[in-house]
PDB file of all heavy atoms in Angstrom:
ATOM      1  N   ARG A 127      -3.927   1.595  11.372  1.00 91.00           N
ATOM      2  CA  ARG A 127      -4.144   2.343  10.213  1.00 91.00           C
ATOM      3  C   ARG A 127      -5.649   2.558   9.972  1.00 91.00           C
ATOM      4  O   ARG A 127      -6.393   1.669  10.012  1.00 91.00           O
ATOM      5  CB  ARG A 127      -3.420   1.777   8.992  1.00 91.00           C
ATOM      6  CG  ARG A 127      -3.580   2.746   7.788  1.00 91.00           C
ATOM      7  CD  ARG A 127      -2.465   2.227   6.765  1.00 91.00           C
ATOM      8  NE  ARG A 127      -2.610   0.871   6.223  1.00 91.00           N
ATOM      9  CZ  ARG A 127      -1.780   0.519   5.282  1.00 91.00           C
ATOM     10  NH1 ARG A 127      -0.811   1.119   4.823  1.00 91.00           N
ATOM     11  NH2 ARG A 127      -2.027  -0.749   4.768  1.00 91.00           N
ATOM     12  N   ARG A 128      -6.121   3.756   9.613  1.00 95.00           N
ATOM     13  CA  ARG A 128      -7.555   4.024   9.312  1.00 95.00           C
ATOM     14  C   ARG A 128      -7.464   5.012   8.080  1.00 95.00           C
ATOM     15  O   ARG A 128      -6.562   5.805   7.919  1.00 95.00           O
ATOM     16  CB  ARG A 128      -8.325   4.748  10.417  1.00 95.00           C
ATOM     17  CG  ARG A 128      -8.344   3.955  11.703  1.00 95.00           C
ATOM     18  CD  ARG A 128      -9.275   2.715  11.582  1.00 95.00           C
ATOM     19  NE  ARG A 128      -9.372   1.983  12.860  1.00 95.00           N
ATOM     20  CZ  ARG A 128      -8.545   1.123  13.322  1.00 95.00           C
ATOM     21  NH1 ARG A 128      -7.463   0.812  12.628  1.00 95.00           N
ATOM     22  NH2 ARG A 128      -8.700   0.547  14.451  1.00 95.00           N
ATOM     23  N   MET A 129      -8.624   4.911   7.322  1.00 93.00           N
ATOM     24  CA  MET A 129      -8.776   5.787   6.194  1.00 93.00           C
ATOM     25  C   MET A 129     -10.085   6.664   6.222  1.00 93.00           C
ATOM     26  O   MET A 129     -11.069   6.113   6.626  1.00 93.00           O
ATOM     27  CB  MET A 129      -8.731   4.976   4.893  1.00 93.00           C
ATOM     28  CG  MET A 129      -8.678   5.810   3.670  1.00 93.00           C
ATOM     29  SD  MET A 129      -8.977   4.850   2.166  1.00 93.00           S
ATOM     30  CE  MET A 129     -10.645   4.364   2.359  1.00 93.00           C
ATOM     31  N   ASP A 130      -9.937   7.879   5.803  1.00 95.00           N
ATOM     32  CA  ASP A 130     -11.193   8.623   5.739  1.00 95.00           C
ATOM     33  C   ASP A 130     -11.819   8.377   4.416  1.00 95.00           C
ATOM     34  O   ASP A 130     -11.208   8.626   3.283  1.00 95.00           O
ATOM     35  CB  ASP A 130     -10.845  10.174   5.801  1.00 95.00           C
ATOM     36  CG  ASP A 130     -12.046  11.076   5.532  1.00 95.00           C
ATOM     37  OD1 ASP A 130     -13.097  10.515   5.330  1.00 95.00           O
ATOM     38  OD2 ASP A 130     -11.773  12.288   5.759  1.00 95.00           O
ATOM     39  N   PRO A 131     -13.001   7.729   4.344  1.00 93.00           N
ATOM     40  CA  PRO A 131     -13.567   7.276   3.009  1.00 93.00           C
ATOM     41  C   PRO A 131     -13.975   8.385   2.154  1.00 93.00           C
ATOM     42  O   PRO A 131     -14.142   8.258   0.936  1.00 93.00           O
ATOM     43  CB  PRO A 131     -14.757   6.522   3.441  1.00 93.00           C
ATOM     44  CG  PRO A 131     -15.067   6.823   4.806  1.00 93.00           C
ATOM     45  CD  PRO A 131     -13.840   7.287   5.525  1.00 93.00           C
ATOM     46  N   GLU A 132     -14.098   9.636   2.739  1.00 95.00           N
ATOM     47  CA  GLU A 132     -14.508  10.796   1.842  1.00 95.00           C
ATOM     48  C   GLU A 132     -13.263  11.325   1.185  1.00 95.00           C
ATOM     49  O   GLU A 132     -13.453  11.948   0.034  1.00 95.00           O
ATOM     50  CB  GLU A 132     -15.133  11.900   2.837  1.00 95.00           C
ATOM     51  CG  GLU A 132     -16.599  11.421   3.149  1.00 95.00           C
ATOM     52  CD  GLU A 132     -17.327  12.493   3.932  1.00 95.00           C
ATOM     53  OE1 GLU A 132     -17.017  13.610   3.860  1.00 95.00           O
ATOM     54  OE2 GLU A 132     -18.378  12.051   4.558  1.00 95.00           O
ATOM     55  N   THR A 133     -12.148  11.428   1.813  1.00 93.00           N
ATOM     56  CA  THR A 133     -11.015  12.083   1.256  1.00 93.00           C
ATOM     57  C   THR A 133      -9.921  11.158   0.755  1.00 93.00           C
ATOM     58  O   THR A 133      -8.979  11.464   0.018  1.00 93.00           O
ATOM     59  CB  THR A 133     -10.321  13.083   2.239  1.00 93.00           C
ATOM     60  OG1 THR A 133      -9.888  12.338   3.331  1.00 93.00           O
ATOM     61  CG2 THR A 133     -11.250  14.124   2.677  1.00 93.00           C
ATOM     62  N   GLY A 134      -9.923   9.894   1.336  1.00 88.00           N
ATOM     63  CA  GLY A 134      -8.814   9.004   1.109  1.00 88.00           C
ATOM     64  C   GLY A 134      -7.668   9.227   2.021  1.00 88.00           C
ATOM     65  O   GLY A 134      -6.548   8.475   1.899  1.00 88.00           O
ATOM     66  N   ASP A 135      -7.748  10.200   2.867  1.00 90.00           N
ATOM     67  CA  ASP A 135      -6.470  10.531   3.805  1.00 90.00           C
ATOM     68  C   ASP A 135      -6.369   9.379   4.712  1.00 90.00           C
ATOM     69  O   ASP A 135      -7.298   8.741   5.169  1.00 90.00           O
ATOM     70  CB  ASP A 135      -6.880  11.788   4.579  1.00 90.00           C
ATOM     71  CG  ASP A 135      -6.753  13.082   3.677  1.00 90.00           C
ATOM     72  OD1 ASP A 135      -6.227  12.922   2.538  1.00 90.00           O
ATOM     73  OD2 ASP A 135      -7.240  14.096   4.075  1.00 90.00           O
ATOM     74  N   ILE A 136      -5.136   9.111   5.046  1.00 89.00           N
ATOM     75  CA  ILE A 136      -4.698   7.900   5.839  1.00 89.00           C
ATOM     76  C   ILE A 136      -4.234   8.442   7.253  1.00 89.00           C
ATOM     77  O   ILE A 136      -3.440   9.546   7.323  1.00 89.00           O
ATOM     78  CB  ILE A 136      -3.543   7.053   5.224  1.00 89.00           C
ATOM     79  CG1 ILE A 136      -3.804   6.597   3.786  1.00 89.00           C
ATOM     80  CG2 ILE A 136      -3.042   5.907   6.142  1.00 89.00           C
ATOM     81  CD1 ILE A 136      -4.853   5.535   3.756  1.00 89.00           C
ATOM     82  N   TYR A 137      -4.740   7.821   8.296  1.00 92.00           N
ATOM     83  CA  TYR A 137      -4.298   8.228   9.611  1.00 92.00           C
ATOM     84  C   TYR A 137      -3.848   6.953  10.454  1.00 92.00           C
ATOM     85  O   TYR A 137      -3.985   5.849   9.923  1.00 92.00           O
ATOM     86  CB  TYR A 137      -5.572   8.794  10.424  1.00 92.00           C
ATOM     87  CG  TYR A 137      -6.182   9.981   9.767  1.00 92.00           C
ATOM     88  CD1 TYR A 137      -7.203   9.970   8.884  1.00 92.00           C
ATOM     89  CD2 TYR A 137      -5.562  11.286  10.112  1.00 92.00           C
ATOM     90  CE1 TYR A 137      -7.755  11.079   8.275  1.00 92.00           C
ATOM     91  CE2 TYR A 137      -6.135  12.411   9.523  1.00 92.00           C
ATOM     92  CZ  TYR A 137      -7.177  12.260   8.602  1.00 92.00           C
ATOM     93  OH  TYR A 137      -7.736  13.440   8.017  1.00 92.00           O
ATOM     94  N   HIS A 138      -3.194   7.213  11.582  1.00 92.00           N
ATOM     95  CA  HIS A 138      -2.901   6.175  12.444  1.00 92.00           C
ATOM     96  C   HIS A 138      -3.365   6.407  13.787  1.00 92.00           C
ATOM     97  O   HIS A 138      -3.151   7.570  14.304  1.00 92.00           O
ATOM     98  CB  HIS A 138      -1.349   5.920  12.516  1.00 92.00           C
ATOM     99  CG  HIS A 138      -1.028   4.669  13.188  1.00 92.00           C
ATOM    100  ND1 HIS A 138      -1.005   4.548  14.577  1.00 92.00           N
ATOM    101  CD2 HIS A 138      -0.675   3.403  12.801  1.00 92.00           C
ATOM    102  CE1 HIS A 138      -0.764   3.254  14.986  1.00 92.00           C
ATOM    103  NE2 HIS A 138      -0.553   2.524  13.849  1.00 92.00           N
ATOM    104  N   MET A 139      -4.110   5.586  14.474  1.00 93.00           N
ATOM    105  CA  MET A 139      -4.856   5.954  15.738  1.00 93.00           C
ATOM    106  C   MET A 139      -3.848   6.417  16.760  1.00 93.00           C
ATOM    107  O   MET A 139      -4.210   7.204  17.704  1.00 93.00           O
ATOM    108  CB  MET A 139      -5.635   4.746  16.251  1.00 93.00           C
ATOM    109  CG  MET A 139      -6.846   4.335  15.276  1.00 93.00           C
ATOM    110  SD  MET A 139      -7.681   5.702  14.534  1.00 93.00           S
ATOM    111  CE  MET A 139      -8.786   6.113  15.944  1.00 93.00           C
ATOM    112  N   ASP A 140      -2.602   5.917  16.793  1.00 90.00           N
ATOM    113  CA  ASP A 140      -1.631   6.335  17.748  1.00 90.00           C
ATOM    114  C   ASP A 140      -0.761   7.512  17.268  1.00 90.00           C
ATOM    115  O   ASP A 140      -0.436   8.486  18.029  1.00 90.00           O
ATOM    116  CB  ASP A 140      -0.741   5.204  18.301  1.00 90.00           C
ATOM    117  CG  ASP A 140      -1.538   4.080  18.842  1.00 90.00           C
ATOM    118  OD1 ASP A 140      -2.532   4.429  19.537  1.00 90.00           O
ATOM    119  OD2 ASP A 140      -1.271   2.928  18.639  1.00 90.00           O
ATOM    120  N   PHE A 141      -0.251   7.280  16.013  1.00 87.00           N
ATOM    121  CA  PHE A 141       0.879   8.170  15.601  1.00 87.00           C
ATOM    122  C   PHE A 141       0.330   9.464  14.935  1.00 87.00           C
ATOM    123  O   PHE A 141       1.080  10.529  14.938  1.00 87.00           O
ATOM    124  CB  PHE A 141       1.794   7.455  14.643  1.00 87.00           C
ATOM    125  CG  PHE A 141       2.378   6.119  15.147  1.00 87.00           C
ATOM    126  CD1 PHE A 141       2.355   5.033  14.271  1.00 87.00           C
ATOM    127  CD2 PHE A 141       2.640   5.953  16.507  1.00 87.00           C
ATOM    128  CE1 PHE A 141       2.824   3.694  14.742  1.00 87.00           C
ATOM    129  CE2 PHE A 141       3.064   4.756  16.934  1.00 87.00           C
ATOM    130  CZ  PHE A 141       3.163   3.645  16.089  1.00 87.00           C
ATOM    131  N   SER A 142      -0.767   9.360  14.213  1.00 89.00           N
ATOM    132  CA  SER A 142      -1.300  10.573  13.553  1.00 89.00           C
ATOM    133  C   SER A 142      -2.863  10.492  13.574  1.00 89.00           C
ATOM    134  O   SER A 142      -3.480  10.178  12.554  1.00 89.00           O
ATOM    135  CB  SER A 142      -0.805  10.814  12.133  1.00 89.00           C
ATOM    136  OG  SER A 142      -1.149   9.741  11.283  1.00 89.00           O
ATOM    137  N   PRO A 143      -3.457  10.568  14.764  1.00 95.00           N
ATOM    138  CA  PRO A 143      -4.905  10.348  14.834  1.00 95.00           C
ATOM    139  C   PRO A 143      -5.700  11.344  14.011  1.00 95.00           C
ATOM    140  O   PRO A 143      -5.258  12.497  13.832  1.00 95.00           O
ATOM    141  CB  PRO A 143      -5.246  10.565  16.329  1.00 95.00           C
ATOM    142  CG  PRO A 143      -3.898  10.929  17.050  1.00 95.00           C
ATOM    143  CD  PRO A 143      -2.840  10.964  16.007  1.00 95.00           C
ATOM    144  N   PRO A 144      -6.928  10.877  13.586  1.00 96.00           N
ATOM    145  CA  PRO A 144      -7.686  11.781  12.751  1.00 96.00           C
ATOM    146  C   PRO A 144      -8.291  12.950  13.602  1.00 96.00           C
ATOM    147  O   PRO A 144      -8.588  12.716  14.839  1.00 96.00           O
ATOM    148  CB  PRO A 144      -8.943  10.942  12.242  1.00 96.00           C
ATOM    149  CG  PRO A 144      -8.925   9.805  13.226  1.00 96.00           C
ATOM    150  CD  PRO A 144      -7.399   9.636  13.726  1.00 96.00           C
ATOM    151  N   PRO A 145      -8.584  14.103  12.998  1.00 96.00           N
ATOM    152  CA  PRO A 145      -9.152  15.259  13.769  1.00 96.00           C
ATOM    153  C   PRO A 145     -10.537  14.734  14.220  1.00 96.00           C
ATOM    154  O   PRO A 145     -11.190  13.934  13.557  1.00 96.00           O
ATOM    155  CB  PRO A 145      -9.131  16.349  12.801  1.00 96.00           C
ATOM    156  CG  PRO A 145      -8.907  15.757  11.422  1.00 96.00           C
ATOM    157  CD  PRO A 145      -8.229  14.392  11.524  1.00 96.00           C
ATOM    158  N   ALA A 146     -11.124  15.472  15.234  1.00 95.00           N
ATOM    159  CA  ALA A 146     -12.440  15.072  15.844  1.00 95.00           C
ATOM    160  C   ALA A 146     -13.504  14.947  14.796  1.00 95.00           C
ATOM    161  O   ALA A 146     -14.236  14.017  14.763  1.00 95.00           O
ATOM    162  CB  ALA A 146     -12.839  16.091  16.917  1.00 95.00           C
ATOM    163  N   GLU A 147     -13.488  15.947  13.800  1.00 96.00           N
ATOM    164  CA  GLU A 147     -14.653  15.896  12.950  1.00 96.00           C
ATOM    165  C   GLU A 147     -14.670  14.673  11.864  1.00 96.00           C
ATOM    166  O   GLU A 147     -15.584  14.412  11.174  1.00 96.00           O
ATOM    167  CB  GLU A 147     -14.783  17.226  12.141  1.00 96.00           C
ATOM    168  CG  GLU A 147     -13.635  17.585  11.192  1.00 96.00           C
ATOM    169  CD  GLU A 147     -12.437  18.256  11.952  1.00 96.00           C
ATOM    170  OE1 GLU A 147     -12.366  18.168  13.154  1.00 96.00           O
ATOM    171  OE2 GLU A 147     -11.544  18.828  11.321  1.00 96.00           O
ATOM    172  N   VAL A 148     -13.375  14.041  11.810  1.00 96.00           N
ATOM    173  CA  VAL A 148     -13.149  12.959  10.859  1.00 96.00           C
ATOM    174  C   VAL A 148     -13.252  11.677  11.580  1.00 96.00           C
ATOM    175  O   VAL A 148     -13.611  10.578  11.001  1.00 96.00           O
ATOM    176  CB  VAL A 148     -11.837  13.140  10.149  1.00 96.00           C
ATOM    177  CG1 VAL A 148     -11.468  11.995   9.222  1.00 96.00           C
ATOM    178  CG2 VAL A 148     -11.837  14.442   9.330  1.00 96.00           C
ATOM    179  N   ALA A 149     -12.990  11.636  12.813  1.00 95.00           N
ATOM    180  CA  ALA A 149     -12.779  10.421  13.558  1.00 95.00           C
ATOM    181  C   ALA A 149     -13.932   9.436  13.556  1.00 95.00           C
ATOM    182  O   ALA A 149     -13.702   8.292  13.514  1.00 95.00           O
ATOM    183  CB  ALA A 149     -12.405  10.809  15.092  1.00 95.00           C
ATOM    184  N   SER A 150     -15.206   9.981  13.499  1.00 96.00           N
ATOM    185  CA  SER A 150     -16.240   9.092  13.514  1.00 96.00           C
ATOM    186  C   SER A 150     -16.510   8.401  12.214  1.00 96.00           C
ATOM    187  O   SER A 150     -17.260   7.371  12.185  1.00 96.00           O
ATOM    188  CB  SER A 150     -17.486   9.887  13.945  1.00 96.00           C
ATOM    189  OG  SER A 150     -17.782  10.841  12.876  1.00 96.00           O
ATOM    190  N   ARG A 151     -15.902   8.818  11.134  1.00 97.00           N
ATOM    191  CA  ARG A 151     -16.162   8.148   9.820  1.00 97.00           C
ATOM    192  C   ARG A 151     -15.077   7.392   9.287  1.00 97.00           C
ATOM    193  O   ARG A 151     -15.132   6.779   8.246  1.00 97.00           O
ATOM    194  CB  ARG A 151     -16.683   9.190   8.855  1.00 97.00           C
ATOM    195  CG  ARG A 151     -15.568  10.272   8.430  1.00 97.00           C
ATOM    196  CD  ARG A 151     -16.063  11.072   7.199  1.00 97.00           C
ATOM    197  NE  ARG A 151     -15.026  11.906   6.763  1.00 97.00           N
ATOM    198  CZ  ARG A 151     -15.033  13.208   6.853  1.00 97.00           C
ATOM    199  NH1 ARG A 151     -16.093  13.783   7.424  1.00 97.00           N
ATOM    200  NH2 ARG A 151     -14.115  14.000   6.344  1.00 97.00           N
ATOM    201  N   VAL A 152     -13.808   7.398   9.985  1.00 97.00           N
ATOM    202  CA  VAL A 152     -12.686   6.564   9.512  1.00 97.00           C
ATOM    203  C   VAL A 152     -13.016   5.079   9.423  1.00 97.00           C
ATOM    204  O   VAL A 152     -13.777   4.640  10.342  1.00 97.00           O
ATOM    205  CB  VAL A 152     -11.344   6.881  10.213  1.00 97.00           C
ATOM    206  CG1 VAL A 152     -10.922   8.345  10.048  1.00 97.00           C
ATOM    207  CG2 VAL A 152     -11.495   6.500  11.668  1.00 97.00           C
ATOM    208  N   VAL A 153     -12.356   4.410   8.497  1.00 96.00           N
ATOM    209  CA  VAL A 153     -12.615   2.942   8.487  1.00 96.00           C
ATOM    210  C   VAL A 153     -11.312   2.194   8.362  1.00 96.00           C
ATOM    211  O   VAL A 153     -10.298   2.820   7.919  1.00 96.00           O
ATOM    212  CB  VAL A 153     -13.518   2.596   7.096  1.00 96.00           C
ATOM    213  CG1 VAL A 153     -14.942   3.078   7.247  1.00 96.00           C
ATOM    214  CG2 VAL A 153     -12.834   3.129   5.899  1.00 96.00           C
ATOM    215  N   GLN A 154     -11.370   0.944   8.705  1.00 93.00           N
ATOM    216  CA  GLN A 154     -10.146   0.154   8.620  1.00 93.00           C
ATOM    217  C   GLN A 154     -10.252  -0.703   7.312  1.00 93.00           C
ATOM    218  O   GLN A 154     -11.349  -1.224   7.034  1.00 93.00           O
ATOM    219  CB  GLN A 154     -10.126  -0.835   9.757  1.00 93.00           C
ATOM    220  CG  GLN A 154      -8.757  -1.574   9.838  1.00 93.00           C
ATOM    221  CD  GLN A 154      -8.663  -2.557  11.057  1.00 93.00           C
ATOM    222  OE1 GLN A 154      -9.654  -3.115  11.499  1.00 93.00           O
ATOM    223  NE2 GLN A 154      -7.530  -2.645  11.574  1.00 93.00           N
ATOM    224  N   ARG A 155      -9.111  -0.724   6.512  1.00 87.00           N
ATOM    225  CA  ARG A 155      -9.171  -1.612   5.308  1.00 87.00           C
ATOM    226  C   ARG A 155      -9.388  -3.085   5.708  1.00 87.00           C
ATOM    227  O   ARG A 155      -8.841  -3.441   6.776  1.00 87.00           O
ATOM    228  CB  ARG A 155      -7.784  -1.469   4.653  1.00 87.00           C
ATOM    229  CG  ARG A 155      -7.836  -0.662   3.387  1.00 87.00           C
ATOM    230  CD  ARG A 155      -6.341  -0.362   2.881  1.00 87.00           C
ATOM    231  NE  ARG A 155      -5.640  -1.483   2.557  1.00 87.00           N
ATOM    232  CZ  ARG A 155      -4.400  -1.448   2.001  1.00 87.00           C
ATOM    233  NH1 ARG A 155      -3.895  -0.346   1.615  1.00 87.00           N
ATOM    234  NH2 ARG A 155      -3.746  -2.631   1.722  1.00 87.00           N
ATOM    235  N   GLN A 156     -10.106  -3.730   5.005  1.00 85.00           N
ATOM    236  CA  GLN A 156     -10.435  -5.182   5.342  1.00 85.00           C
ATOM    237  C   GLN A 156      -9.215  -6.051   5.454  1.00 85.00           C
ATOM    238  O   GLN A 156      -9.218  -6.920   6.277  1.00 85.00           O
ATOM    239  CB  GLN A 156     -11.243  -5.771   4.124  1.00 85.00           C
ATOM    240  CG  GLN A 156     -12.309  -6.655   4.692  1.00 85.00           C
ATOM    241  CD  GLN A 156     -13.498  -6.803   3.647  1.00 85.00           C
ATOM    242  OE1 GLN A 156     -13.448  -6.155   2.632  1.00 85.00           O
ATOM    243  NE2 GLN A 156     -14.465  -7.585   3.961  1.00 85.00           N
ATOM    244  N   ASP A 157      -8.043  -5.650   4.754  1.00 86.00           N
ATOM    245  CA  ASP A 157      -6.840  -6.541   4.870  1.00 86.00           C
ATOM    246  C   ASP A 157      -5.854  -5.710   5.861  1.00 86.00           C
ATOM    247  O   ASP A 157      -4.709  -6.241   5.874  1.00 86.00           O
ATOM    248  CB  ASP A 157      -6.175  -6.711   3.539  1.00 86.00           C
ATOM    249  CG  ASP A 157      -5.943  -5.358   2.793  1.00 86.00           C
ATOM    250  OD1 ASP A 157      -6.296  -4.240   3.231  1.00 86.00           O
ATOM    251  OD2 ASP A 157      -5.134  -5.486   1.755  1.00 86.00           O
ATOM    252  N   ASP A 158      -6.379  -4.901   6.682  1.00 88.00           N
ATOM    253  CA  ASP A 158      -5.528  -4.290   7.724  1.00 88.00           C
ATOM    254  C   ASP A 158      -5.787  -4.893   9.155  1.00 88.00           C
ATOM    255  O   ASP A 158      -5.311  -4.417  10.177  1.00 88.00           O
ATOM    256  CB  ASP A 158      -5.765  -2.757   7.831  1.00 88.00           C
ATOM    257  CG  ASP A 158      -4.837  -2.079   6.859  1.00 88.00           C
ATOM    258  OD1 ASP A 158      -3.920  -2.627   6.198  1.00 88.00           O
ATOM    259  OD2 ASP A 158      -4.888  -0.819   6.705  1.00 88.00           O
ATOM    260  N   THR A 159      -6.625  -6.032   9.129  1.00 88.00           N
ATOM    261  CA  THR A 159      -6.735  -6.728  10.459  1.00 88.00           C
ATOM    262  C   THR A 159      -5.441  -7.433  10.779  1.00 88.00           C
ATOM    263  O   THR A 159      -4.612  -7.685   9.913  1.00 88.00           O
ATOM    264  CB  THR A 159      -7.826  -7.736  10.410  1.00 88.00           C
ATOM    265  OG1 THR A 159      -7.530  -8.692   9.338  1.00 88.00           O
ATOM    266  CG2 THR A 159      -9.243  -7.122   9.928  1.00 88.00           C
ATOM    267  N   GLU A 160      -5.257  -7.800  12.075  1.00 88.00           N
ATOM    268  CA  GLU A 160      -4.048  -8.448  12.522  1.00 88.00           C
ATOM    269  C   GLU A 160      -3.806  -9.716  11.733  1.00 88.00           C
ATOM    270  O   GLU A 160      -2.697 -10.078  11.326  1.00 88.00           O
ATOM    271  CB  GLU A 160      -4.042  -8.778  13.999  1.00 88.00           C
ATOM    272  CG  GLU A 160      -2.709  -9.235  14.477  1.00 88.00           C
ATOM    273  CD  GLU A 160      -2.454  -9.095  15.929  1.00 88.00           C
ATOM    274  OE1 GLU A 160      -3.082  -8.273  16.538  1.00 88.00           O
ATOM    275  OE2 GLU A 160      -1.480  -9.707  16.420  1.00 88.00           O
ATOM    276  N   GLU A 161      -4.877 -10.493  11.604  1.00 89.00           N
ATOM    277  CA  GLU A 161      -4.847 -11.791  10.857  1.00 89.00           C
ATOM    278  C   GLU A 161      -4.305 -11.697   9.433  1.00 89.00           C
ATOM    279  O   GLU A 161      -3.364 -12.269   8.887  1.00 89.00           O
ATOM    280  CB  GLU A 161      -6.169 -12.493  10.960  1.00 89.00           C
ATOM    281  CG  GLU A 161      -6.101 -13.961  10.612  1.00 89.00           C
ATOM    282  CD  GLU A 161      -7.543 -14.515  10.506  1.00 89.00           C
ATOM    283  OE1 GLU A 161      -8.557 -13.809  10.793  1.00 89.00           O
ATOM    284  OE2 GLU A 161      -7.606 -15.699  10.023  1.00 89.00           O
ATOM    285  N   ALA A 162      -4.958 -10.675   8.687  1.00 88.00           N
ATOM    286  CA  ALA A 162      -4.593 -10.532   7.300  1.00 88.00           C
ATOM    287  C   ALA A 162      -3.197  -9.877   7.236  1.00 88.00           C
ATOM    288  O   ALA A 162      -2.405 -10.202   6.242  1.00 88.00           O
ATOM    289  CB  ALA A 162      -5.639  -9.625   6.564  1.00 88.00           C
ATOM    290  N   CYS A 163      -2.869  -9.114   8.174  1.00 89.00           N
ATOM    291  CA  CYS A 163      -1.579  -8.438   8.226  1.00 89.00           C
ATOM    292  C   CYS A 163      -0.404  -9.478   8.234  1.00 89.00           C
ATOM    293  O   CYS A 163       0.627  -9.446   7.610  1.00 89.00           O
ATOM    294  CB  CYS A 163      -1.489  -7.543   9.377  1.00 89.00           C
ATOM    295  SG  CYS A 163       0.039  -7.049   9.866  1.00 89.00           S
ATOM    296  N   ARG A 164      -0.678 -10.497   9.173  1.00 90.00           N
ATOM    297  CA  ARG A 164       0.347 -11.501   9.367  1.00 90.00           C
ATOM    298  C   ARG A 164       0.579 -12.357   8.004  1.00 90.00           C
ATOM    299  O   ARG A 164       1.621 -12.659   7.602  1.00 90.00           O
ATOM    300  CB  ARG A 164       0.119 -12.457  10.448  1.00 90.00           C
ATOM    301  CG  ARG A 164       0.086 -11.646  11.787  1.00 90.00           C
ATOM    302  CD  ARG A 164       0.376 -12.529  12.989  1.00 90.00           C
ATOM    303  NE  ARG A 164       0.416 -11.629  14.194  1.00 90.00           N
ATOM    304  CZ  ARG A 164       1.439 -11.009  14.634  1.00 90.00           C
ATOM    305  NH1 ARG A 164       2.562 -11.083  14.048  1.00 90.00           N
ATOM    306  NH2 ARG A 164       1.326 -10.241  15.664  1.00 90.00           N
TER     307      ARG A 164
END
Side-chain angles (χ1 to χ4, degrees):
R127 184 158 70 174
R128 298 290 184 279
M129 189 191 65
D130 177 353
E132 284 186 20
T133 61
D135 290 343
I136 304 290
Y137 298 96
H138 189 284
M139 298 314 283
D140 301 321
F141 311 137
S142 62
E147 65 277 17
V148 173
S150 60
R151 64 170 187 250
V152 293
V153 292
Q154 185 178 39
R155 252 170 63 173
Q156 218 158 356
D157 58 351
D158 274 353
T159 59
E160 184 158 349
E161 198 187 347
C163 160
R164 295 206 180 273

